Amino acid sequence: SQTIHQWPATLVQPVGSPLSLECTVEGTSNPNLYWYRQAAGRGLQLLFYSVGIGQISSEVPQNLSASRPQDRQFILSSKKLLLSDSGFYLCAWSVPGSNYGYTFGSGTRLTVV
Amino acid sequence: KQEVTQIPAALSVPEGENLVLNCSFTDSAIYNLQWFRQDPGKGLTSLLLIQSSQREQTSGRLNASLDKSSGRSTLYIAASQPGDSATYLCAVTFSGGYNKLIFGAGTRLAVHP
């Protein structure tokens, strides 16, 4: 069966520090991968999506970047965190061309102090 | 612009009531529609997925309907229980491109004993 792993679950980082959040998917090949952010009191916003290794599309301009070094690995990064980067980050995957919908990871709560 | 709207934003009901959550979307060209549940500080759990060719889906006490022509979906919860308390999110995959999933802001449900 397909599973999605996201870590860490919580993270407190000082302003100006780097960030690396990792997401891995098991049990499927060539998934579409996504990073969403949920800021306090706001809805889910799509940050990045990837349809293949090394293929990253950004939905909104921001202080973050994403990479996909392997088929089932998706990484969210920042060189210098801002206070506004605080939020709940969720990774998700879907099967291209299918109607199975999206499956989400358990999320990472990031607090920038 | 493709948007998803959910009403009400919050709902508080006594245990045992049947209730309806509403979702509307701006573009009838959809691939599918998903209802998710989110507990505080947690990831998203998929409840029901309705394909564009379907009118409704049922799972236990949950029933979701889809009317593409009017751009509406409803989530019906029968005999509500305190354990149903959570935020319910409606998300639409619009046709075209890579099938982007767009979320509504959610309905925060509280079921009190």
Side-chain angles (χ1 to χ4, degrees):
Chain A
S1 63
Q2 301 94 346
T3 56
I4 181 168
H5 301 281
Q6 212 182 316
W7 67 92
T10 59
L11 193 59
V12 180
Q13 292 285 102
V15 169
S17 65
L19 172 74
S20 180
L21 303 181
E22 189 163 342
C23 171
T24 59
V25 179
E26 296 178 359
T28 187
S29 297
N30 301 316
N32 287 342
L33 296 173
Y34 313 87
W35 279 110
Y36 281 82
R37 177 171 63 198
Q38 188 175 39
R42 302 180 65 179
L44 278 146
Q45 181 184 39
L46 178 64
L47 302 176
F48 300 96
Y49 70 91
S50 172
V51 298
I53 295 174
Q55 301 180 62
I56 309 296
S57 296
S58 174
E59 284 293 300
V60 293
Q62 58 203 306
N63 183 44
L64 302 168
S65 62
S67 62
R68 186 171 176 173
Q70 300 179 44
D71 180 47
R72 289 170 286 180
Q73 184 185 29
F74 205 23
I75 298 172
L76 184 69
S77 304
S78 173
K79 292 182 179 178
K80 289 185 178 182
L81 284 169
L82 306 172
L83 286 174
S84 58
D85 292 324
S86 294
F88 192 49
Y89 289 83
L90 288 156
C91 179
W93 69 274
S94 69
V95 177
S98 81
N99 256 325
Y100 295 136
Y102 281 46
T103 301
F104 282 79
S106 55
T108 295
R109 173 75 58 192
L110 172 65
T111 303
V112 183
V113 296
Chain B
K1 183 180 178 183
Q2 295 165 331
E3 293 182 340
V4 179
T5 303
Q6 288 186 250
I7 54 172
L11 187 61
S12 181
V13 299
E15 181 177 8
E17 276 203 5
N18 301 323
L19 48 99
V20 175
L21 309 182
N22 296 291
C23 172
S24 61
F25 44 94
T26 54
D27 186 349
S28 62
I30 70 170
Y31 204 52
N32 57 45
L33 183 147
Q34 254 178 299
W35 282 94
F36 292 90
R37 168 183 173 142
Q38 186 178 29
D39 293 291
K42 304 294 184 182
L44 275 61
T45 300
S46 182
L47 298 174
L48 291 164
L49 170 68
I50 310 178
Q51 312 296 350
S52 61
S53 59
Q54 297 174 323
R55 294 292 298 230
E56 66 177 347
Q57 282 286 336
T58 298
S59 176
R61 294 182 293 109
L62 305 179
N63 175 276
S65 67
L66 174 64
D67 184 343
K68 276 197 313 178
S69 61
S70 65
R72 296 178 188 276
S73 174
T74 61
L75 178 67
Y76 176 82
I77 303 177
S80 58
Q81 304 171 357
D84 294 330
S85 299
T87 296
Y88 290 81
L89 296 162
C90 172
V92 176
T93 301
F94 291 97
S95 299
Y98 69 98
N99 295 338
K100 178 178 174 179
L101 187 69
I102 296 178
F103 281 86
T107 294
R108 191 170 62 255
L109 173 66
V111 181
H112 48 87

